[in-house]
Amino acid sequence: MKYVDEFRDGGLARGLAAAIARAAVSGRVYRFMEFCGGHTHAIARYGLEDLLPANVQLIHGPGCPVCVLPGGRLQMAIELAERPRLILASYGDMLRVPVAGDSLLKARARGADVRMVYAVDEALALARRHPEREVVFFAIGFETTTPPTAVAIRRARAEGLGNFSVFCNHVLTPAAIAAILAAPDAAVRLDGFIGPAHVSTVIGSRPYEACAAAHAKALVIAGFEPLDVLQAVLMLVRQVNSGRAEVENEFTRAVSRDGNLRAQQLVAEVFTPRAHFEWRGLGRLAHSALAIAPQWADFDAEVRFSLSERVLCDHKACECAAVLRGQRRPQDCKVFGTACTPENPLGSCMVSSEGACAAHYSYGRFRDRTTQGESA
Amino acid sequence: MCLAIPARVIELLADEEALVELGGVRKRISLALVEGVAVDDYVIVHVGYALNRLDPAEAAKTLALFAEAGLIDGAASKAAP
Ligand code: SF4
């Protein structure tokens, strides 16, 4: 496949790995966090950690939309789904996320009408087909899924679809990166970030600049293919070696400094920033999420159904919060691979293939090296 | 849910939609977020929407950088003990 196979070439990967090994100064440890679950997935799937020298370490970040949504918001979605005459449409992975012994799948088994959709347009289609029912789209995700939700809300108004609304849980990437950097131990634990691929196609590289400068951390935006990740690591090592802390862009084939202005404009029209929002693992963060703007309140399920905020704790054995902060590795969790597996997840990080635990379970657990992480 | 691969536009449809080809599979997607897309362009598709167009010249430059990193290294490692 064009623009895929070339970016997975084994020979080039070995060349890049060798270049990284030579650039990395021995005796110094380099720790880079890949923010996105898409990168976590690529790193696990292609065994990229095995190609890197022992002193170049990758730490999984919180950039998996399914993983960071806190239990309370999921509980609210389940309560919504159980209302009579209501159809809740959700991206597939959300259905399996456990919350306090429950899940949307279990709610469906009890009789709630929960539909799995691949795109928000399918939720619109449900609203057209069932004018006698309320159709709520359970919107989750970072800046990549937000513009499609904005388009759907505008379309619903244009078509006069009075039975369509959105339970909005869209979150903002730069706020999460800032929160990780603001943690007291971040300065010593992290040398830089592999920055988001698809999120950056929308928001551009500019929004990371203030954060990288304020915390003196390098950030390299990278595509989701394995060679993109390796090239970004090389660029990060070079930045650290020369004492720079800049935003660089490896994914120039799809990301510009300004991003997709049309998408940004649609988002600004339909959404408004929330004062704060709860994240699994990162806690309550200021200006880290979007709500539907007041002029579109007819389409806001939180308003329409007078939803009240729920706060729930994770399962007590679950280490997801620390995994999402990059403070623990999946294999450090006591229930990893035993009580918690992709077939039977106990925590949110084991659900989506981009979740750190699921990625490690599927690809990495047979290669666990006892030395990994000890050189720190 | 962020995983997506570049798709080639094979036909422009009404209502800002297009037919794309993704690894041999044809799919209908929305072009509501991108301007000026033409047949044969590659777009990054996510949850049924094209997020951006892929720039072929930049893709070629990035591939050249990968090759260069490997080559420089090859030369250097021969010189190294
Ligand atoms: S193994 Fe399961 S419970 Fe433990 S951190 Fe991962 S997802 Fe959470």
Side-chain angles (χ1 to χ4, degrees), chain A residues 317-320 323 330 333-337 340 345-350 357:
Chain A
C318 173
E319 295 272 13
C320 287
V323 168
C333 176
K334 277 199 208 66
V335 294
F336 174 84
C340 185
L346 208 64
S348 63
C349 302
M350 195 55 101
C357 295

Side-chain angles (χ1 to χ4, degrees), chain A residues 1-3 7 16 18 22 91 118-119 121 144-145 147-148 198 201 227 231 250 252-254 260 262 266 354, chain B residues 1-3 16 23 27 32-35 42 44 46-49 51-52 54-56 58-59 62 66 69 73:
Chain A
M1 274 178 290
K2 197 160 176 202
Y3 300 121
F7 291 85
L16 281 169
R22 290 193 58 83
Y91 291 132
Y118 168 74
D121 296 32
T144 47
T145 49
H198 293 164
T201 66
L227 297 190
Q231 173 73 10
E250 183 278 337
T252 51
R253 61 189 186 279
N260 182 338
R262 182 171 179 170
L266 284 164
E354 293 156 46
Chain B
M1 53 183 272
C2 283
L3 299 176
E16 299 188 300
K27 232 175 111 46
L33 302 174
V34 282
E35 274 155 316
Y42 278 79
I44 301 218
H46 185 67
V47 293
Y49 281 71
L51 289 182
N52 230 338
L54 203 124
D55 182 334
E58 287 294 336
T62 303
F66 296 162
D73 184 73

Side-chain angles (χ1 to χ4, degrees), chain A residues 29-369:
Chain A
V29 179
Y30 299 79
R31 297 184 192 88
F32 304 125
M33 174 180 277
E34 85 274 4
F35 181 86
C36 278
H39 288 130
T40 303
H41 180 93
I43 289 162
R45 176 168 174 193
Y46 297 100
L48 298 185
E49 278 166 313
D50 293 347
L51 293 176
L52 298 177
N55 61 330
V56 178
Q57 299 170 0
L58 299 177
I59 300 163
H60 308 315
C64 152
V66 174
C67 305
V68 293
L69 190 83
R73 300 292 294 185
L74 179 54
Q75 180 69 51
M76 290 163 75
I78 293 174
E79 287 170 15
L80 251 182
E82 297 200 305
R83 291 183 184 234
R85 296 193 318 106
L86 190 140
I87 301 174
L88 186 87
S90 168
Y91 291 132
D93 282 341
M94 275 321 296
L95 268 61
R96 298 172 47 240
V97 178
V99 54
D102 207 356
S103 68
L104 282 169
L105 263 190
K106 288 186 180 167
R108 182 158 82 178
R110 291 194 297 269
D113 196 346
V114 180
R115 312 278 180 105
M116 197 176 114
V117 293
Y118 168 74
V120 60
D121 296 32
E122 294 168 31
L124 279 179
L126 282 170
R128 286 184 206 109
R129 265 206 310 279
H130 300 282
E132 74 295 351
R133 317 255 320 251
E134 286 286 339
V135 175
V136 180
F137 177 62
F138 182 16
I140 62 151
F142 291 90
E143 291 88 338
T144 47
T145 49
T146 316
T149 306
V151 171
I153 290 175
R154 282 164 48 102
R155 185 161 299 163
R157 175 168 285 175
E159 291 181 25
L161 275 178
N163 62 333
F164 176 81
S165 61
V166 170
F167 176 37
C168 178
N169 294 277
H170 287 302
V171 289
L172 302 170
T173 304
I177 292 182
I180 289 165
L181 286 174
D185 57 346
V188 288
R189 280 195 318 113
L190 277 182
D191 296 292
F193 285 92
I194 298 175
H198 293 164
V199 163
S200 306
T201 66
V202 175
I203 68 173
S205 62
R206 197 195 298 271
Y208 310 108
E209 289 170 6
C211 195
H215 296 275
K217 297 292 178 202
L219 186 145
V220 177
I221 292 163
F224 279 149
E225 296 301 334
L227 297 190
D228 291 318
V229 177
L230 290 172
Q231 173 73 10
V233 169
L234 179 61
M235 290 164 80
L236 284 166
V237 168
R238 286 176 178 158
Q239 276 208 44
V240 170
N241 287 351
S242 58
R244 287 177 294 133
E246 295 164 8
V247 174
E248 288 185 290
N249 181 9
E250 183 278 337
F251 198 31
T252 51
R253 61 189 186 279
V255 173
S256 63
R257 186 157 180 245
D258 289 326
N260 182 338
L261 296 174
R262 182 171 179 170
Q264 290 168 28
Q265 192 195 327
L266 284 164
V267 168
E269 195 183 308
V270 175
F271 297 98
T272 182
R274 290 181 194 263
H276 17 70
F277 193 77
E278 178 81 22
W279 293 57
R280 190 189 302 263
L282 303 181
R284 205 169 143 84
L285 306 181
H287 307 298
S288 65
L290 298 173
I292 293 168
Q295 61 273 35
W296 299 87
D298 314 354
F299 300 96
D300 186 346
E302 280 180 79
V303 175
R304 187 192 293 229
F305 302 102
S306 315
L307 300 186
S308 50
E309 211 60 52
R310 295 269 182 275
V311 179
L312 285 173
C313 295
D314 288 347
H315 190 284
K316 63 181 185 312
C318 173
E319 295 272 13
C320 287
V323 168
L324 288 165
R325 287 193 298 266
Q327 288 166 336
R328 305 211 66 175
R329 298 171 307 158
Q331 60 270 45
D332 299 333
C333 176
K334 277 199 208 66
V335 294
F336 174 84
T338 53
C340 185
T341 60
E343 295 73 40
N344 217 337
L346 208 64
S348 63
C349 302
M350 195 55 101
V351 175
S352 153
S353 66
E354 293 156 46
C357 295
H360 190 70
Y361 186 88
S362 305
Y363 302 109
R365 79 199 138 110
F366 302 115
R367 304 189 330 251
D368 277 342
R369 288 171 292 179

